[in-house]
Amino acid sequence: MTDHARIPARLIADYSRRLRWSLQALPAEDRAGIVREIESHLTDSLTAGPETLEDSLSALGAPHALAARYVQEYRLTGALGEDHPVALVQAILVRSGRSAAAFAALLIAMLLYLFALCFAGVAIFKPLFPSHVGLWSLPQGSAFGILTDPPAAPEMMGLWVMPVAAAAALACYALASLVLRGTGRHLLRQVSAR
């Protein structure tokens, strides 16, 4: 093999080595499969000519940037399979800087989780502080929630506020989880389409 022929082979080997190192967050089997796939693609490009190899390397981008995309996809896929939303929030948070849809969905989901927490607080604190928690009808509008200085008007729902607030908390939690899962699946479809 001439020195001129070794240079492209060294480029492929160097790219593969740097990619393998950048994929350390993935399991060894997945990491090896990705590197084999990229090496095969680059080797096929080389057989078409050195210019084609350069075009392929340029299209793939830096090894660490390519690895970051694989790692994000892996984490997002894993988060979709989990029952709790924390991993999914983290995976979508990483994408929210590059995707307006991911940012909007994350914002909506976080607001819904906050509402769920507030409704759960109403359901929990009603038996502990019955005169400070509830729904009041006032001349200037309604007041709902946990109030430090409740109005003199009678509270309208009594203990019924507990099951209503608990149901609202569960509904907000479920809706937030649906928004996150739908966004996660949408982001994975975008990656697959590339």
Side-chain angles (χ1 to χ4, degrees):
M1 186 181 279
T2 66
D3 285 341
H4 185 52
R6 286 187 192 136
I7 292 172
R10 256 190 272 147
L11 282 174
I12 294 172
D14 183 53
Y15 191 93
S16 298
R17 179 186 52 77
R18 290 174 27 205
L19 179 63
R20 184 177 293 109
W21 184 84
S22 298
L23 290 168
Q24 291 298 314
L26 299 183
E29 185 178 309
D30 293 334
R31 186 171 55 240
I34 292 167
V35 172
R36 270 193 312 271
E37 179 182 327
I38 298 300
E39 280 178 340
S40 173
H41 171 68
L42 293 176
T43 303
D44 290 346
S45 297
L46 179 59
T47 58
E51 299 82 25
T52 307
L53 174 62
E54 289 176 19
D55 291 344
S56 294
L57 286 169
S58 178
L60 288 173
H64 66 277
L66 179 62
R69 291 193 300 266
Y70 276 109
V71 169
Q72 288 173 4
E73 181 180 348
Y74 178 81
R75 288 184 177 152
L76 185 57
T77 302
L80 281 169
E82 293 184 18
D83 288 334
H84 55 85
V86 175
L88 194 51
V89 167
Q90 290 172 339
I92 292 175
L93 184 61
V94 170
R95 298 280 184 99
S96 67
R98 293 187 317 254
S99 168
F103 179 76
L106 189 62
L107 184 62
I108 290 168
M110 296 314 289
L111 286 172
L112 286 167
Y113 283 134
L114 181 63
F115 284 137
L117 184 64
C118 291
F119 282 126
V122 167
I124 292 168
F125 288 115
K126 179 62 175 178
L128 301 173
F129 307 103
S131 62
H132 292 270
V133 179
L135 173 67
W136 293 270
S137 179
L138 306 170
Q140 64 271 24
S142 298
F144 175 78
I146 304 169
L147 305 176
T148 56
D149 187 25
E155 199 272 316
M156 295 173 46
M157 293 187 72
L159 292 178
W160 278 102
V161 78
M162 290 170 42
V164 170
L170 289 173
C172 287
Y173 182 86
L175 187 57
S177 296
L178 283 174
V179 166
L180 287 177
R181 289 190 179 286
T183 303
R185 285 191 287 275
H186 173 73
L187 291 171
L188 283 177
R189 278 193 302 274
Q190 283 182 331
V191 169
S192 298
R194 289 183 194 167

